[in-house]
Amino acid sequence: QVQLVESGGGVVQAGTSLSLSCVASGFTFSTYSMHWVRQAPGKGLEWVAVISYDGGKKYYADSVRGRFTISRDNSKNTMYLQVNSLRADDTAVYYCAKEWGSQGLYYGMDVWGQGTTVTVSS
Amino acid sequence: QSALTQPASVSGSPGQSITISCTGTSSDIGGYNSVFWYQQHPGKAPKLMIYEVKNRPSGVSNRFSGSKSGNTASLTISGLQADDEADYYCSSYTTSRTLVFGGGTKLTVL
């Protein structure tokens, strides 16, 4: 079945870095764009970034642009999020999600992982 | 990019219908049909309920429907059931090539 599994979260100090991973299975990863979405404790969903199916296009939310970097390795069916200069307001569950349509950017997600938790302590 | 505007909460009795609105601008909802709706139960990942304004993914009940008029999108749930109680989020593509979510609406089934 289609599955996304995130990892890499943890408790870190403000100002430090972390690398999140999302391993995909059950679909042709290389033909789907992928997103990162986060959710702070008790808050709503916040879109973080998207990467096109071929890795050629990357777009970020204003709140993370310049600090976060999205990437993917289609040979490993894996997407990454490098998060630098972490701040307390980056504390959240980070979800990876698959685009609903193939070979394009449609900005809608039909499959979500269970999330990985990042806690930034100051 | 400001979040789309949703009511914080709505409620209805079993069997009734409710509608959740999602208001944006001409730079997001009003300019594109890339409007999506998600359901999220506590402690769970979001689930896609409606894609591109009004389409239901396979497996989603036909009690869920979506529409759009101008800068406002709507999700209607008919024949409310206890399991519909959840948080609902709208989202839209924006002219900045980003995505914006609504603040979320908590649906209570009385």
Side-chain angles (χ1 to χ4, degrees):
Chain A
Q1 74 280 23
V2 178
Q3 191 173 12
L4 299 171
V5 179
E6 304 94 334
S7 63
V11 180
V12 297
Q13 296 273 9
T16 60
S17 300
L18 211 54
S19 181
L20 307 182
S21 298
C22 170
V23 177
S25 59
F27 65 100
T28 307
F29 181 72
S30 62
T31 63
Y32 288 89
S33 301
M34 297 290 293
H35 297 259
W36 285 101
V37 176
R38 68 183 180 181
Q39 187 169 33
K43 302 297 185 181
L45 301 174
E46 180 186 14
W47 179 79
V48 173
V50 63
I51 185 167
S52 61
Y53 61 96
D54 61 358
K57 298 178 182 178
K58 306 173 186 179
Y59 302 104
Y60 299 89
D62 290 345
S63 58
V64 307
R65 189 177 296 114
R67 297 189 301 124
F68 290 14
T69 302
I70 191 171
S71 62
R72 66 191 295 161
D73 185 340
N74 285 345
S75 68
K76 296 182 178 179
N77 286 358
T78 302
M79 176 178 66
Y80 306 96
L81 186 68
Q82 178 67 35
V83 296
N84 298 329
S85 304
L86 280 162
R87 312 184 304 219
D89 63 357
D90 292 320
T91 293
V93 174
Y94 285 73
Y95 294 102
C96 68
K98 166 187 164 292
E99 263 285 0
W100 79 272
S102 65
Q103 296 184 314
L105 283 167
Y106 306 99
Y107 290 80
M109 294 80 86
D110 66 345
V111 179
W112 297 64
Q114 285 306 302
T116 187
T117 301
V118 174
T119 302
V120 183
S121 63
S122 52
Chain B
Q1 180 70 47
S2 300
L4 305 174
T5 301
Q6 296 182 233
S9 63
V10 298
S11 63
S13 299
Q16 289 186 331
S17 295
I18 63 96
T19 296
I20 299 172
S21 62
C22 173
T23 301
T25 68
S26 58
S27 296
D28 39 65
I29 290 177
Y32 308 94
N33 285 327
S34 186
V35 177
F36 293 74
W37 288 91
Y38 303 90
Q39 175 192 66
Q40 186 181 34
H41 286 109
K44 301 295 187 181
K47 174 187 176 182
L48 177 64
M49 304 303 286
I50 295 289
Y51 67 93
E52 294 189 332
V53 178
K54 60 182 180 179
N55 301 292
R56 279 188 312 277
S58 174
V60 172
S61 170
N62 59 8
R63 297 184 299 105
F64 292 82
S65 62
S67 63
K68 188 184 86 166
S69 177
N71 297 337
T72 298
S74 299
L75 173 71
T76 297
I77 309 174
S78 59
L80 271 178
Q81 299 179 359
D83 190 52
D84 297 334
E85 185 162 295
D87 294 326
Y88 291 85
Y89 295 91
C90 59
S91 74
S92 175
Y93 173 72
T94 82
T95 53
S96 303
R97 296 183 179 179
T98 61
L99 183 153
V100 61
F101 281 102
T105 298
K106 181 178 179 59
L107 169 61
T108 300
V109 180
L110 302 171

